[in-house]
Amino acid sequence: IIYFFDFTIILGKNGVPVAENFRLEQSTIADTIQVGQVRVRTLYLSVDPYMRCRMNEDTGSDYLLPWQLSEVADGGGIGVVEESKHDNLAKGDFVTSFNWPWQTVAILDGNLLQKLVPQLVNGRLSYFLGAAGITGLTALLGIREKGHVAAGANQTMVVSGAAGACGSLAGQIGRLEGCSRVVGIAGTDEKCSILVQEMGFDAAINYKKGNVAEQLRELCPGGVDVYFDNVGGDISDTVISQMNQNSHIILCGQISQYNKDVPYPPPLPPDIEKIQKERNITRERFLVLNYMDKQEASVLQLCQWIQEGKLTVRETVVEGLANIGAAFQSMMNGGNIGKQIVSVS
């Protein structure tokens, strides 16, 4: 007997996702596995902003397939092998996939799984869904490929969505890569405090309090050289208006726009677009999957920083598969600090 989430409602491009968009059901899987397959028990699942796009018939992306009505949803996951008929996987191995079904137990093609080495993350397996996984890769490769950070260049980096899974890593990595000043933008005083006291940000702005533009001018007197953009919308417009000549936007995400019927990346308002062009500010879509040739070396770098204590990793963990819909809803509303994880078993 397995439990799984059955995705049942397509929201439409302007809908707001809620936990009731998902249905928990009980079902069975085969008693035997075929050659090349493994039976796995799910340990951790990830919920991420990009999944909102999969709730539309048109995801707006050529690399993301939509979730189908009344079929099992999927995403990043980690599990342990309980039975194997795959030559390179054995019982007890920890494995991961970007397309892990939201089930407690599953039979999967062993060729589509990646074996994990827990020692690389000090035994914290869930880190492979975050800091040592696609989230960490997005932060590191985004900065290296689109940020043009140079040690000793006295650059100031601003990160929006700074207390989220990717933003909390990006600020720290920006510092490690050579930025002299890092300022985060988040939505609560608690998040801002964590960014400064635990993650080494120089300062943080609560965008729900006070005037963001004024605070940004005070905290970044020399302007902004690198902007790691996770949110889009008004906050990004404010940051861009204070960016320097020949500066760079790392276009990671636009979570404020995901529930709206707009293209990706969303167009800038005319006055902000004018600033971008006049100041020669780069703003190009960034997709980590385009840099998979650098994946192995980048993951090892992230793991080294974790082992050395140079990366502070935060997770918000929800227990139980039955609560994954609520975890997704909370994450989309900014309820998480660091990576949102669901602990299944």
Side-chain angles (χ1 to χ4, degrees):
I1 297 176
I2 61 170
Y3 291 91
F4 64 93
F5 249 104
D6 186 4
F7 177 70
T8 59
I9 299 175
I10 288 185
L11 297 176
K13 293 185 177 180
N14 293 298
V16 177
V18 295
E20 288 73 25
N21 292 139
F22 302 92
R23 181 174 77 236
L24 184 66
E25 290 190 353
Q26 181 175 314
S27 186
T28 58
I29 58 174
D31 294 329
T32 59
I33 61 175
Q34 306 301 313
V35 173
Q37 292 183 326
V38 294
R39 185 194 308 273
V40 294
R41 176 167 51 86
T42 304
L43 299 177
Y44 300 103
L45 294 171
S46 172
V47 290
D48 303 279
Y50 80 87
M51 292 175 172
R52 173 60 184 87
C53 303
R54 301 189 68 188
M55 300 177 84
N56 294 330
E57 291 178 322
D58 178 8
T59 65
S61 171
D62 55 6
Y63 69 94
L64 288 177
L65 295 175
W67 283 331
Q68 298 298 312
L69 291 175
S70 295
E71 292 190 7
V72 180
D74 67 297
I78 291 172
V80 60
V81 176
E82 294 191 323
E83 182 183 359
S84 175
K85 288 188 178 179
H86 188 279
D87 290 341
N88 297 325
L89 295 173
K91 182 177 180 180
D93 283 345
F94 296 105
V95 291
T96 187
S97 169
F98 188 68
N99 298 111
W100 196 284
W102 288 7
Q103 301 179 183
T104 55
V105 179
I107 295 174
L108 303 176
D109 181 348
N111 290 328
L112 302 180
L113 299 174
Q114 178 184 356
K115 189 187 299 187
L116 300 175
V117 181
Q119 292 84 353
L120 290 175
V121 289
N122 300 326
R124 297 294 298 270
L125 277 171
S126 57
Y127 283 11
F128 285 114
L129 293 176
I134 197 75
T135 308
L137 285 172
T138 300
L140 176 57
L141 291 171
I143 289 169
R144 287 184 172 176
E145 300 297 328
K146 298 295 184 181
H148 302 274
V149 173
N154 196 32
Q155 292 166 298
T156 294
M157 171 185 279
V158 170
V159 183
S160 59
C166 199
S168 61
L169 298 172
Q172 297 178 76
I173 292 171
R175 172 81 76 195
L176 290 167
E177 290 290 287
C179 286
S180 60
R181 185 165 182 78
V182 178
V183 176
I185 302 175
T188 70
D189 289 342
E190 179 192 11
K191 290 179 178 180
C192 290
S193 177
I194 288 170
L195 291 175
V196 174
Q197 295 181 14
E198 295 185 18
M199 297 181 175
F201 284 62
D202 292 282
I205 297 169
N206 181 348
Y207 70 88
K208 295 180 181 178
K209 287 186 174 180
N211 186 300
V212 175
E214 290 180 359
Q215 294 179 75
L216 203 59
R217 277 191 290 271
E218 179 182 343
L219 295 173
C220 305
V224 178
D225 302 294
V226 184
Y227 173 39
F228 199 98
D229 186 4
N230 286 304
V231 302
D234 293 341
I235 289 175
S236 290
D237 296 344
T238 300
V239 176
I240 294 170
S241 68
Q242 298 189 34
M243 294 187 73
N244 294 325
Q245 193 75 24
N246 302 317
S247 54
H248 304 283
I249 299 170
I250 304 166
L251 193 57
C252 177
Q254 302 280 278
I255 193 170
S256 72
Q257 307 298 303
Y258 286 166
N259 294 329
K260 302 176 182 179
D261 184 6
V262 293
Y264 187 88
L268 297 171
D271 57 330
I272 302 300
E273 184 178 18
K274 182 180 179 182
I275 290 173
Q276 182 206 349
K277 291 180 178 179
E278 289 179 346
R279 298 181 190 172
N280 192 35
I281 302 170
T282 63
R283 182 182 184 257
E284 302 170 342
R285 182 172 183 172
F286 170 72
L287 181 60
V288 70
L289 298 178
N290 291 336
Y291 302 94
M292 284 298 96
D293 59 318
K294 301 180 180 181
Q295 175 182 0
E296 184 175 355
S298 299
V299 168
L300 290 176
Q301 175 66 86
L302 292 163
C303 290
Q304 180 180 339
W305 282 336
I306 291 170
Q307 291 172 348
E308 294 173 348
K310 293 180 178 179
L311 270 186
T312 297
V313 181
R314 271 274 193 158
E315 294 179 320
T316 298
V317 181
V318 170
E319 300 287 340
L321 181 60
N323 295 314
I324 197 169
F328 178 68
Q329 178 180 347
S330 175
M331 178 271 305
M332 289 296 295
N333 291 327
N336 59 300
I337 297 176
K339 182 70 175 180
Q340 180 71 65
I341 296 289
V342 176
S343 177
V344 178
S345 60

